[in-house]
Every structure is written in C-alpha cells, then in structure tokens.
Amino acid sequence: FSLKWPYFTGGSLINSSKVYKEDAFMFFLSTLFDSIIRIKLRMGINNLIREVGRISAFVVFLVLLKTSVIDFMVVSGVSMSPYLSDGELILVNKTAYGILNPFSDGYIVRCRGVEPGDVVIYPMNGRYVVKRCRGLEGERVEVSSENGYSLKVNGESFPLSETEYRHYKDVKAVPENMFFAVGDNISYSVDSRDYGFVSLENVRGKVFKLKKR
C-alpha cells in the first residue's frame, strides 16, 4: 500500500514495495526564496536581511510542523482498501503517540502506545508504509498448518505462505515493544507476515480519513 505527499507538501511516494523521491517541497521553497529576494533587492539590504530572517524562521517552523506534528498524504495503492482508497487524501497526526524526534528515529517522549485497530505509518526497508495494528506486545500468537498455513493473534486469523509459516512457527507471543501490522486488503498487502513485528519506536504517526464514506 502506498502514499505520496501532495504537491503542496513535497516529500516522497511511499509504497510497501518501493519509494520514489520527489522534489516538490524543495522546489516550492526555492521558488519562494527566489521571488522574495527579487522583490526585496529593490528595498535595500537591511530590509532584505530582516525579511530573509523572517522567512527562514517560517520555513523552519513549516519543516518542524511537517516532520513532527501533522502532515497530509495521498494514498496510492489498494492494500488498505476498502478503508483507504487509491488517490484518497489522508491526514497523519504525528503527535498521536508522543513527541517525535525530528532529527532521528524514535520519540523524545512517548505518551501512549499503539492500540489494536489503529492505522499507522512507519518506515520499513528504506520506505514508509501504512498498515493497521492487529496485535500488541505480550499477546498470544498461534501458528497452524492445518487446512493451510495461518497465524492467529488477538482473536483474528491471517493466512500465511509456507515461507511465512516457517518464520513464525516457533513464535508464542508478540515481543515487547513490538506490534503485529497487517493491511486490510489481506491478499494485496506486504506486512508483518512478510517482514516480522514492527517496533513501537518506529511508528511515525496515526492515519485519519479526511472524508467518511
């Protein structure tokens, strides 16, 4: 399942299998600075310096807002359908679980944990993905090979491939500070069944729909 930043926020196309970098945000900042400098050169150097200082502070504020507080993304893919549709604009609350460190992974302060049913984003193999939390730390994990391979956690059963079954067959519970994440469209999702449990420290925000069906 994939996401990409809207053109007005810049960023990257986020996909469970690949990521494409875009320069929309940097292009916006470059154009903004260029336009301001052209105007302010007519106003004198002192005014220019003051204006650049104000704009620089505003840009820093925007960057911190985007990286640590709130962001908008556009869905691209079907692994979270029907809850999230391809092309749908969503909001990511990056303060839902605490105060993110804008300069590295993890939290400065984590005030609450992910709950079952939460839709979250997190980095995986160099890209961001969006999935739903299906199992929390300490919850029992049951893996079966009867009538096909499957994994049961938090009362829900999920199909596994033979490779995924071998990976999980000796697992008895969700590890500490980890959770089990799965896409709603189970047949088209690359998730915890493939790459394992996800660290709570890696969660970068909680996803909210901007429109209800």
Side-chain angles (χ1 to χ4, degrees):
F1 190 69
S2 60
L3 301 169
K4 62 180 178 180
W5 311 112
Y7 73 94
F8 51 85
T9 61
S12 60
L13 174 68
I14 307 169
N15 193 288
S16 59
S17 58
K18 52 189 172 181
V19 59
Y20 301 93
K21 295 295 182 183
E22 298 177 351
D23 295 320
F25 187 61
M26 294 306 299
F27 177 77
F28 165 75
L29 294 182
S30 176
T31 303
L32 177 64
F33 271 105
D34 183 66
S35 299
I36 291 172
I37 289 174
R38 287 175 183 273
I39 295 172
K40 294 302 179 180
L41 281 175
R42 307 189 188 116
M43 300 175 59
I45 189 65
N46 290 333
N47 288 334
L48 175 61
I49 292 174
R50 284 196 296 271
E51 195 64 27
V52 168
R54 294 192 190 101
I55 295 300
S56 297
F58 180 67
V59 169
V60 170
F61 169 76
L62 287 180
V63 171
L64 290 176
L65 185 70
K66 176 180 173 60
T67 57
S68 301
V69 181
I70 196 170
D71 202 358
F72 295 92
M73 297 179 178
V74 175
V75 172
S76 176
V78 298
S79 77
M80 277 297 292
S81 66
Y83 178 68
L84 297 176
S85 303
D86 186 34
E88 183 174 347
L89 182 67
I90 59 174
L91 180 148
V92 180
N93 180 3
K94 297 187 175 182
T95 64
Y97 305 109
I99 302 175
L100 285 170
N101 187 335
F103 306 108
S104 64
D105 294 337
Y107 287 79
I108 298 174
V109 176
R110 187 147 61 91
C111 60
R112 62 183 291 264
V114 176
E115 298 179 0
D118 285 358
V119 178
V120 299
I121 62 168
Y122 53 88
M124 180 56 60
N125 299 325
R127 60 191 69 89
Y128 282 96
V129 297
V130 55
K131 303 295 173 187
R132 190 182 297 276
C133 172
R134 293 298 191 183
L136 295 176
E137 58 181 337
E139 292 183 342
R140 184 179 178 184
V141 174
E142 300 176 47
V143 181
S144 173
S145 59
E146 297 180 6
N147 300 318
Y149 303 111
S150 65
L151 179 150
K152 186 175 182 181
V153 61
N154 194 29
E156 295 186 82
S157 185
F158 304 95
L160 300 177
S161 67
E162 183 177 356
T163 300
E164 293 164 352
Y165 168 77
R166 290 199 300 267
H167 175 78
Y168 276 103
K169 67 178 182 179
D170 296 323
V171 176
K172 303 302 181 183
V174 179
E176 184 178 3
N177 293 321
M178 307 287 278
F179 68 99
F180 188 75
V182 182
D184 287 3
N185 194 353
I186 202 86
S187 299
Y188 294 90
S189 177
V190 177
D191 45 47
S192 283
R193 295 171 297 164
D194 302 274
Y195 46 68
F197 300 105
V198 180
S199 171
L200 292 171
E201 287 294 313
N202 285 343
V203 174
R204 309 309 287 173
K206 184 177 182 180
V207 172
F208 292 90
K209 292 172 67 71
L210 292 178
K211 63 178 182 179
K212 294 184 178 180
R213 296 177 183 275

